Amino acid sequence: MQASASAAPAATAALPLAVFPKDSRPLPCLLLVSLLLLLLLHLLSSSPSPSPPASTHYAPLPADTSSAGPTPPSLAFLLTGSAGDTDRLLRLLLATYHPRNIYLLLLDRAASASDRARLARQAQAGAGCTNVHVVGDPGFANPRGASALAATLHGAALLLRIGQDWDWLVHLDAGDYPLVTPDDLLHVLSYLPRELNFIQHTSYIGWRESRQIKPIVVDPDLYLSSRTDIFYATQKRELPNAYKLFTGSSSVILSRKFIEYCIVGADNLPRTMLMYYTNMPLPHRKYFQTVLCNSPEFNRTVVNHDLHYSKWDAPLKNDPRLLTLDDVENMTKSGVAFGTRFSKDDPVLNHIDEEILHRQPGEPTPGGWCLGAGDASPCSVSGSPDILRPGPAAMKLAKFLAQRLSYRSIYSQQCIWD
């Protein structure tokens, strides 16, 4: 595909909204997706997942407990953190682990080499598989500057090299945590087109124009070997007219095809956007949104939600507030897949492990791939990675996505140019 950045706005307005390639009709395709999700809801409601026993040990799972359905996808998890986040990343790895997926753990350069070495040792020992990798020589990742975006793109490029058959990239920070089991997530995603991109976005800039768009900043972490905060230039720049700017959250679930477009694609739009955002505050919350919505090839694949639950005390703050036990009811009712942000070892994480994931400390979340019931580990015997045991959270997630993928909903919220 050859399309210039300046032609993107006109093309976007002219194209019909859909979730499949250009020669597809939007309404039948979305109706098909809705029907598949309704079928999924029926399967989940007619085959309730057995609850774990009240004791601390889990009963063996029979190998034929999953309902017939499409082949589950494979996910590429990019788990990122900084100094002091080693234990949080290990816990996040165990909570999201499934042998179908691949995992890349990235502690930025603010963490010590010994922390990265410990992360590598314990990640391999904890998962016990070869699908877990650790970045050995990362750069800095200042969350206020372009180095955070560079770290994300670096991780995505490594995952393209490591794994050849994954379908979605899931980027999670050390402060995130799952609200569904890996079996829940894989089961629901197996009913969706692999082209979809889940990313919260808006073209409404508002107060961000003066605070996050026009200011020119320099991120020294891109070129210095010691961590240094960003600094602002005295000049400001005008808004571009060759393309439309979009903004949103840094949490993304992106298709492999789109990641390849950003990393190795022949089109120049991703590189143009990268150059533009290099000197802007918080570019990792704008880059993927802007590339997606200005690309005629991908602007119809966007679902306007990152599948994360978050709470904001004020819209002008850069980060959502910390989630606690007081938020459990709203989190579980939301039907989304992840929560953000949690403080380290907060009691709410133990509650999620016990009541939602049914995960024991130091062990991966059980599912159809692990059949054991030994004293040491509920996954002492391996099952088949193709067998999934979705639970009640899968039904909530399927219902949430069915609403988001309805024709009226996706048409009204897909790369809207305010």
Side-chain angles (χ1 to χ4, degrees):
M1 183 197 70
Q2 299 294 330
S4 65
S6 59
T12 304
L15 288 171
L17 295 173
V19 294
F20 288 108
K22 297 178 181 179
D23 57 351
S24 301
R25 295 183 179 180
L27 184 56
C29 292
L30 289 169
L31 285 176
L32 176 60
V33 173
S34 298
L35 288 173
L36 286 173
L37 286 171
L38 288 174
L39 173 61
L40 169 60
L41 286 169
H42 172 72
L43 291 174
L44 289 172
S45 61
S46 60
S47 302
S49 177
S51 301
S55 67
T56 57
H57 306 305
Y58 296 95
L61 307 182
D64 58 351
T65 55
S66 64
S67 301
T71 302
S74 175
L75 307 179
F77 278 86
L78 175 60
L79 310 182
T80 59
S82 190
D85 287 334
T86 301
D87 293 330
R88 301 174 78 182
L89 287 186
L90 289 170
R91 181 172 188 166
L92 184 58
L93 169 65
L94 292 174
T96 59
Y97 183 78
H98 193 281
R100 291 191 63 86
N101 304 328
I102 61 173
Y103 297 82
L104 182 64
L105 281 60
L106 192 158
L107 276 178
D108 74 7
R109 194 176 292 180
S112 65
S114 60
D115 282 344
R116 274 187 292 280
R118 182 168 72 89
L119 178 67
R121 289 194 305 270
Q122 296 188 13
Q124 290 286 345
C129 293
T130 59
N131 60 339
V132 180
H133 309 269
V134 175
V135 178
D137 187 23
F140 289 104
N142 189 323
R144 299 176 59 200
S147 55
L149 175 59
T152 302
L153 292 172
H154 180 206
L158 289 175
L159 284 166
L160 286 176
R161 175 178 292 186
I162 293 169
Q164 303 300 319
D165 57 355
W166 53 266
D167 300 290
W168 278 286
L169 168 72
V170 182
H171 180 205
L172 299 179
D173 183 74
D176 297 333
Y177 211 67
L179 303 177
V180 298
T181 69
D183 279 18
D184 292 334
L185 183 61
L186 290 173
H187 187 69
V188 174
L189 290 180
S190 66
Y191 286 83
L192 299 181
R194 305 300 202 254
E195 296 88 354
L196 291 179
N197 292 281
F198 301 91
I199 185 167
Q200 187 267 326
H201 69 278
T202 178
S203 65
Y204 175 71
I205 303 301
W207 58 270
R208 298 179 185 86
E209 179 177 336
S210 61
R211 298 190 180 191
Q212 297 182 8
I213 306 296
K214 289 187 174 181
I216 300 175
V217 304
V218 176
D219 185 354
D221 286 345
L222 292 172
Y223 58 87
L224 293 181
S225 60
S226 58
R227 184 159 195 172
T228 306
D229 201 6
I230 64 173
F231 59 87
Y232 286 75
T234 56
Q235 299 87 354
K236 293 183 181 293
R237 55 183 170 184
E238 297 300 319
L239 296 178
N241 56 22
Y243 38 80
K244 184 72 172 178
L245 299 183
F246 286 78
T247 185
S249 71
S250 59
S251 303
V252 294
I253 301 177
L254 303 173
S255 69
R256 181 188 178 94
K257 185 177 181 181
F258 177 67
I259 291 297
E260 291 174 337
Y261 173 75
C262 291
I263 303 297
V264 300
D267 195 278
N268 199 41
L269 177 63
R271 279 163 288 280
T272 300
M273 294 293 97
L274 185 60
M275 296 292 288
Y276 176 75
Y277 279 120
T278 298
N279 298 114
M280 183 181 293
L282 304 172
H284 58 299
R285 299 185 181 179
K286 307 175 182 70
Y287 173 76
F288 291 117
Q289 288 86 347
T290 303
V291 175
L292 272 168
C293 287
N294 283 275
S295 170
E297 182 178 356
F298 293 99
N299 61 8
R300 300 172 301 158
T301 66
V302 180
V303 180
N304 193 6
H305 204 284
D306 54 20
L307 303 188
H308 279 63
Y309 178 89
S310 60
K311 293 287 290 185
W312 296 80
D313 290 333
L316 299 184
K317 289 192 173 183
N318 287 332
D319 296 303
R321 70 167 177 81
L322 293 173
L323 298 173
T324 66
L325 284 171
D326 294 335
D327 301 296
V328 167
E329 183 177 359
N330 289 332
M331 278 193 294
T332 54
K333 285 183 178 179
S334 68
V336 297
F338 304 98
T340 188
R341 294 184 303 143
F342 298 96
S343 63
K344 181 180 179 181
D345 296 329
D346 191 278
V348 68
L349 299 178
N350 295 331
H351 177 88
I352 294 172
D353 282 341
E354 295 171 4
E355 301 298 329
I356 299 177
L357 305 181
H358 308 298
R359 187 182 76 86
Q360 295 183 14
E363 299 292 337
T365 301
W369 63 273
C370 56
L371 308 179
D375 294 338
S377 171
C379 295
S380 57
V381 179
S382 297
S384 170
D386 295 329
I387 293 178
L388 303 177
R389 295 192 67 206
M395 186 180 299
K396 296 178 183 178
L397 178 59
K399 182 178 180 180
F400 176 85
L401 287 173
Q403 295 170 345
R404 287 281 169 174
L405 291 172
S406 67
Y407 180 75
R408 176 172 299 189
S409 177
I410 199 169
Y411 184 90
S412 64
Q413 299 187 45
Q414 198 172 45
C415 288
I416 297 301
W417 295 38
D418 296 322

